[in-house]
C-alpha cells in the first residue's frame, strides 16, 4: 500500500498531479467545515510556498515505506487538526477532526487523481483504480484509524462522491479565494524574489489560466449550483492543459522530481546550498532581461534587494509580513498558532515539546491582546498595533524565546550547534554568526529572537522562518 511500489508514488512525481491537487483543494475548500477552517486558520494565501513544502513533506512521510515515520506523522497531523475548531460566519460549528470531513479530504485527492488521468487521455483501468483506492483508504486508516469512513469499493465510492457534491458543497469564501485570488496574487517563491517584474508579468498570464482550467474541471452539477462562470473555450483549454502535462511522461526518468522542484522553489537566495549560488548567477542574467520586460509590460516598479543591510521594520510592514500570518488584516490566536505550527513542523517535535511551544505562543497572544486590543473585539488590528509601542517584548515573548531555544537544542548542551541550527532555519551558520566556537549560545539566540519579534531588526534567520511566502 505504501512505498516506492505504490500507485501514489508514481503520481507524486507526475506533472499532471499539480493540476489535480489544485482541483482537489478547491473541492475540499467547498466543504463548509474545511472552508471555514481554511479562512480562520490557514496561511495558504500569505505563505503558499511554505504551505506547499510542508504538505509535500507530510505526504512523503505518510506514503513512505517506513511505518514508524508514518505513525509519527499521523500523530503530528492529528495533534495539529485537534487545534482547529470553531464556528463559521453562519455560526455553524467546524472541527478538523470530524471523521466525515477527513474522509472527504482523502476522497477529493483520489477522485481528482482519477479525473486527471481521464482528462489527459490515459484513463485508469479498473485494476489500477482499485489499487489506488485501496491505498487512499489505507492512508485514511493510518491517519484516522477507520477506513470505513470511505465506501469499501470503488463502485460504491462514486455514488458517495456525487452525494457529497450535490448535498454538502457550497460556494465558500475559501474556494473563491483559491480560484480568483490566490494565483492572481501569488507571491514569488523565495528563490525568485529578486525578479519581481518578471514574476508579476508571468503571474498575470498564468494565474487567470489556472483558475479557468480548474473551474472547467470541476463536476458540472457543482459548477451550476455554485454559479461558477465558465468562459467560452474553457473545456478545450482545460483538456489541452492536462494533455500537455501528460506528455511529460516522455521525459527522461528522474528529470521532474516533485521534492526537488519544491525544495528549489523554496530555497532562500542567501542559502549556503550550492544550487542557490548557481541560480543566483542565473538571476543576475535574468535581471538584465527584466529591463526589456519593463519596457514591454506596463507594471509598476517594485524594489529589489541590493544586498545591503535593510532598514528596520516599519510597524505596518512588520505587522503585515510577520504577525498577520493568515493575511486577514488582524492578529489573533490563529496567526500565532501558525508560527508555532511552522516551528513544530520544521523541528518535527513530539509531545510534550510541541505543547510547550504552543502554550508559550498562547501566553504571548494573551499578552499582546491585553496590551494592544484597545477596542475589545478580541483581535489586534494594524492600526492598534501601529498606535502602540511596536517594540513590545514582555515576559511572555521572552518565554517564547526560551522555549524555542529549548526545543531547538535537542542535545540539551545549552548551545545550538550547526545541525540544530539548520533544522530550524534550513541553512548553515552565517559568517557573522555570534560566538567563536561554531555554536549559538542561549543568550545570543534569545536576544536575536526578541529583537526580531519586537520589530526592531530584520535580515536575520527569522525572516525566511516567519516572513517568506
Amino acid at each position: 500500500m505504501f512505498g516506492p511500489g505504490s500507485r501514489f508514488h508514481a503520481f507524486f512525481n507526475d506533472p499532471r498531479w499539480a493540476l489535480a491537487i489544485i482541483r482537489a483543494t478547491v473541492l475540499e475548500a467547498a466543504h463548509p467545515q474545511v472552508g471555514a477552517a481554511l479562512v480562520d486558520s490557514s496561511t495558504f494565501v500569505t505563505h503558499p510556498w511554505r504551505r506547499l513544502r510542508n504538505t509535500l513533506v507530510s505526504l512523503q512521510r505518510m506514503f513512505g515505506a517506513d511505518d514508524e515515520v508514518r505513525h509519527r506523522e499521523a500523530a503530528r497531523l492529528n495533534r495539529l487538526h485537534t487545534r482547529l475548531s470553531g464556528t463559521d460566519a453562519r455560526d455553524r460549528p467546524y472541527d478538523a477532526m470530524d471523521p466525515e470531513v477527513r474522509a472527504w479530504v482523502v476522497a477529493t485527492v483520489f477522485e481528482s487523481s482519477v479525473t486527471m488521468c481521464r482528462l489527459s487521455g490515459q484513463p485508469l483501468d479498473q485494476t489500477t483504480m482499485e489499487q489506488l483506492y485501496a491505498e487512499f483508504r489505507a492512508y485514511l486508516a493510518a491517519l484516522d484509524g477507520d477506513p470505513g469512513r470511505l465506501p469499501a469499493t470503488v463502485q460504491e465510492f462514486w455514488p458517495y462522491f456525487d452525494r457529497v457534491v450535490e448535498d454538502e458543497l457550497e460556494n465558500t469564501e475559501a474556494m473563491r479565494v483559491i480560484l480568483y485570488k490566490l494565483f492572481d496574487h501569488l507571491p514569488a517563491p523565495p528563490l525568485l524574489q529578486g525578479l519581481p517584474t518578471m514574476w508579476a508579468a508571468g503571474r498575470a498570464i498564468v494565474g487567470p489560466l489556472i483558475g479557468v482550467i480548474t473551474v472547467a474541471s470541476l463536476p458540472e452539477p457543482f459548477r451550476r449550483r455554485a454559479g461558477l462562470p465558465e468562459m467560452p473555450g474553457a473545456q478545450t483549454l482545460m483538456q489541452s492543459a492536462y494533455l500537455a502535462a501528460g506528455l511529460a511522461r516522455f521525459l527522461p526518468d528522474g528529470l521532474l522530481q516533485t521534492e526537488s522542484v519544491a525544495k528549489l522553489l523554496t530555497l532562500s537566495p542567501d542559502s549556503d546550498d550550492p544550487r542557490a549560488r548557481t541560480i543566483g548567477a542565473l538571476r543576475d542574467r535574468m535581471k538584465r532581461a527584466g529591463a526589456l520586460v519593463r519596457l514591454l509590460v506596463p507594471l509598476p516598479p517594485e524594489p529589489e534587494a541590493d544586498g545591503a543591510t535593510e532598514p528596520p521594520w516599519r510597524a505596518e510592514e512588520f505587522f503585515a509580513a510577520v504577525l498577520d500570518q493568515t493575511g486577514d488584516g488582524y492578529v489573533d490566536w490563529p496567526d500565532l498558532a501558525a508560527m508555532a505550527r511552522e516551528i513544530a513542523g520544521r523541528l518535527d517535535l513530539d509531545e510534550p515539546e510541541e505543547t510547550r511551544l504552543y502554550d508559550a505562543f498562547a501566553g504571548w497572544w494573551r499578552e499582546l491582546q491585553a496590551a494592544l486590543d484597545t477596542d475589545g473585539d478580541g483581535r489586534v488590528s494594524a492600526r492598534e498595533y501601529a498606535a502602540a509601542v511596536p517594540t513590545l517584548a514582555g515576559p511572555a515573548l521572552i518565554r517564547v524565546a526560551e522555549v524555542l531555544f529549548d526545543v531547538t537544542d535537542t542535545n540539551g548542551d545549552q548551545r545550538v550547534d550547526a545541525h540544530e541550527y539548520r533544522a530550524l532555519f534550513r541553512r548553515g551558520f552565517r559568517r557573522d554568526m555570534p560566538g567563536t566556537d561554531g555554536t549559538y549560545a542561549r543568550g545570543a539566540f534569545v536576544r536575536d529572537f526578541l529583537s526580531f519579534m519586537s520589530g526592531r531588526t530584520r535580515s536575520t534567520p527569522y525572516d525566511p522562518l516567519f516572513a517568506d511566502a
Side-chain angles (χ1 to χ4, degrees):
M1 293 297 177
F2 302 104
S6 67
R7 293 302 310 172
F8 173 85
H9 189 270
F11 282 149
F12 190 73
N13 293 312
D14 191 324
R16 298 172 300 171
W17 209 54
L19 296 172
I21 287 300
I22 295 171
R23 179 182 183 276
T25 302
V26 170
L27 289 171
E28 293 170 21
H31 192 289
Q33 289 204 55
V34 179
L38 287 174
V39 167
D40 285 352
S41 301
S42 180
T43 62
F44 75 99
V45 173
T46 49
H47 303 280
W49 300 107
R50 189 174 78 189
R51 173 68 183 273
L52 171 65
R53 180 188 175 96
N54 292 343
T55 299
L56 292 176
V57 168
S58 179
L59 285 172
Q60 284 185 311
R61 290 172 176 173
M62 288 298 296
F63 278 94
D66 192 320
D67 289 338
E68 182 180 352
V69 169
R70 182 163 45 257
H71 293 154
R72 291 186 72 245
E73 180 63 12
R76 185 191 72 83
L77 290 173
N78 286 331
R79 292 195 304 269
L80 185 157
H81 288 111
T82 298
R83 296 183 173 98
L84 301 178
S85 61
T87 56
D88 66 12
R90 295 163 58 180
D91 290 327
R92 297 176 297 183
Y94 69 84
D95 184 352
M97 288 297 289
D98 185 318
E100 299 297 335
V101 173
R102 303 182 93 186
W104 173 247
V105 171
V106 176
T108 62
V109 183
F110 166 73
E111 188 274 343
S112 292
S113 299
V114 173
T115 300
M116 162 191 92
C117 295
R118 175 175 55 82
L119 293 177
S120 58
Q122 303 170 57
L124 297 178
D125 59 68
Q126 188 65 26
T127 300
T128 302
M129 191 184 304
E130 290 174 352
Q131 179 186 348
L132 181 64
Y133 186 61
E135 291 173 8
F136 276 103
R137 291 187 82 241
Y139 169 84
L140 183 60
L143 184 65
D144 202 35
D146 184 9
R149 296 293 177 176
L150 286 175
T153 67
V154 172
Q155 290 76 11
E156 296 171 292
F157 172 82
W158 301 114
Y160 154 80
F161 181 85
D162 292 340
R163 177 188 61 77
V164 176
V165 168
E166 183 64 29
D167 297 340
E168 300 186 33
L169 300 193
E170 300 176 0
N171 188 338
T172 64
E173 178 185 351
M175 185 193 74
R176 294 192 297 273
V177 167
I178 295 171
L179 287 176
Y180 303 119
K181 178 181 177 181
L182 177 60
F183 294 104
D184 286 353
H185 301 84
L186 187 68
L191 196 62
L192 301 179
Q193 286 177 353
L195 303 167
T197 303
M198 297 190 70
W199 174 259
R203 182 185 59 193
I205 298 172
V206 176
L209 288 179
I210 293 177
V212 170
I213 291 168
T214 304
V215 168
S217 70
L218 295 175
E220 196 272 339
F222 176 65
R223 289 204 313 270
R224 266 200 331 267
R225 189 159 50 84
L228 297 175
E230 184 175 325
M231 297 177 58
Q235 287 292 324
T236 300
L237 176 63
M238 177 265 296
Q239 291 180 336
S240 299
Y242 275 94
L243 286 169
L247 294 176
R249 68 185 186 276
F250 297 112
L251 294 174
D253 291 340
L255 183 62
L256 293 176
Q257 294 289 328
T258 299
E259 181 182 13
S260 299
V261 173
K263 285 183 177 179
L264 194 61
L265 287 173
T266 56
L267 191 65
S268 177
D270 61 352
S271 169
D272 57 352
D273 190 306
R275 294 174 300 175
R277 292 193 293 271
T278 301
I279 295 181
L282 179 61
R283 286 201 316 165
D284 290 339
R285 294 180 179 272
M286 293 175 68
K287 284 181 180 180
R288 300 172 189 172
L292 177 61
V293 174
R294 293 188 188 95
L295 297 176
L296 301 176
V297 182
L299 293 172
E302 298 185 39
E304 298 186 16
D306 58 4
T309 301
E310 297 185 48
W313 291 99
R314 299 192 308 272
E316 298 84 353
E317 183 184 17
F318 181 77
F319 182 94
V322 178
L323 295 180
D324 184 12
Q325 290 283 302
T326 60
D328 63 355
Y330 296 90
V331 168
D332 55 11
W333 168 238
D335 297 292
L336 273 64
M339 296 182 191
R341 187 164 64 241
E342 174 64 15
I343 293 171
R346 286 187 177 218
L347 298 178
D348 197 18
L349 297 181
D350 285 328
E351 293 286 17
E353 288 81 5
E354 183 181 272
T355 296
R356 283 186 64 206
L357 186 67
Y358 272 89
D359 287 347
F361 272 94
W364 184 36
W365 163 237
R366 290 190 293 270
E367 184 176 79
L368 285 174
Q369 189 177 26
L372 304 181
D373 181 20
T374 56
D375 61 6
D377 66 350
R379 55 189 184 177
V380 176
S381 67
R383 179 187 56 78
E384 288 172 326
Y385 178 78
V389 180
T391 56
L392 178 68
L397 183 58
I398 296 173
R399 174 62 179 164
V400 172
E402 295 281 356
V403 171
L404 178 57
F405 180 87
D406 289 341
V407 297
T408 304
D409 176 25
T410 54
N411 61 10
D413 65 353
Q414 297 301 302
R415 306 190 77 82
V416 171
D417 60 29
H419 175 74
E420 294 163 339
Y421 187 93
R422 183 176 290 279
L424 178 61
F425 297 116
R426 290 180 179 158
R427 66 179 186 181
F429 283 141
R430 301 288 297 272
R431 285 190 296 272
D432 56 354
M433 182 69 203
T436 59
D437 60 352
T439 62
Y440 205 175
R442 174 184 285 271
F445 184 98
V446 170
R447 182 178 63 250
D448 289 349
F449 179 83
L450 293 176
S451 184
F452 176 79
M453 292 307 296
S454 59
R456 291 197 295 264
T457 62
R458 60 192 308 170
S459 297
T460 73
Y462 298 100
D463 283 35
L465 177 59
F466 290 129
D468 273 1

